[in-house]
Amino acid sequence: MSDIVLSICPPHASEQVADAVAGHGFAGIYVEANAISPERMQRIAGRMPTSCTVLDGMLSGPPPRDGRTVRFYLAGDAGARESVKAVFADTRVLTRATGGGIGSASALKLAISSYQKVSRALAGVAHALAADHGVEDLLLAEAGAMNKDILDDPGYLPGVAARAWRWGPEMAEVADTLRAAGLPAELAEAAALVYSRWDRHKDQSPDLDTVLNTLHHRPKGSA
């Protein structure tokens, strides 16, 4: 039997794969590297055999070819992480530790996906709406002038929160327009909800921690 098992499959199959491995009494290192929630990750880790060492993993980046690399983040037992790292030594798969416990790598994956995958869905909706109204070329021209490095600059978020009181209603208008065109409106409605949680910061200069905390349904530290 293998010393290390990497589980890389569609998220909905992750528990089924884990159960199959557990059913064989696996006693090596099991790396759960699927795009799953931290809660699902904890469930999987909790039902694997005690003889098995479970690592929480996430892959970020395109397939490692044509000079490109993949980052393989790992959380869990340090010795097990080193064993996995050795497997990928001198390859284009770069192993890194998250610095947190089981669930932290999964959280990182979904934090990235919540922006990366949703932004692509939003792009599809935006292009469909522009095509319906014959303004595709103008959309592309405006897109070329936009800041494309938003995720790596969270310092801009307090300014967004200060303007959210007027951006929320704009998202409601977007949702109405999308529905009229027969396009999905739910993402715009979700954005309106996000902005509504920032209403309290109207024309203020909040710090980043305050802005992020406000997004929680119940702000951290509240009674």
Side-chain angles (χ1 to χ4, degrees), residues 108-153:
L108 176 60
K109 179 65 175 181
L110 295 196
I112 293 171
S113 294
S114 70
Y115 174 81
Q116 186 183 49
K117 304 302 192 300
V118 173
S119 64
R120 282 156 175 74
L122 288 171
V125 172
H127 281 285
L129 180 59
D132 281 354
H133 293 271
V135 290
E136 306 99 310
D137 291 345
L138 296 177
L139 175 64
L140 288 172
E142 286 299 314
M146 290 180 182
N147 179 5
K148 295 183 175 63
D149 299 316
I150 296 175
L151 189 60
D152 66 1
D153 182 21

Side-chain angles (χ1 to χ4, degrees), residues 9 30 48 59 74 77 81 101 116 134 138 146 159 183 189 209:
C9 64
Y30 185 77
M48 295 300 287
L59 294 161
L74 297 169
D77 181 81
R81 292 201 315 266
Q116 186 183 49
L138 296 177
M146 290 180 182
L183 293 167
E189 291 170 341
D209 286 344

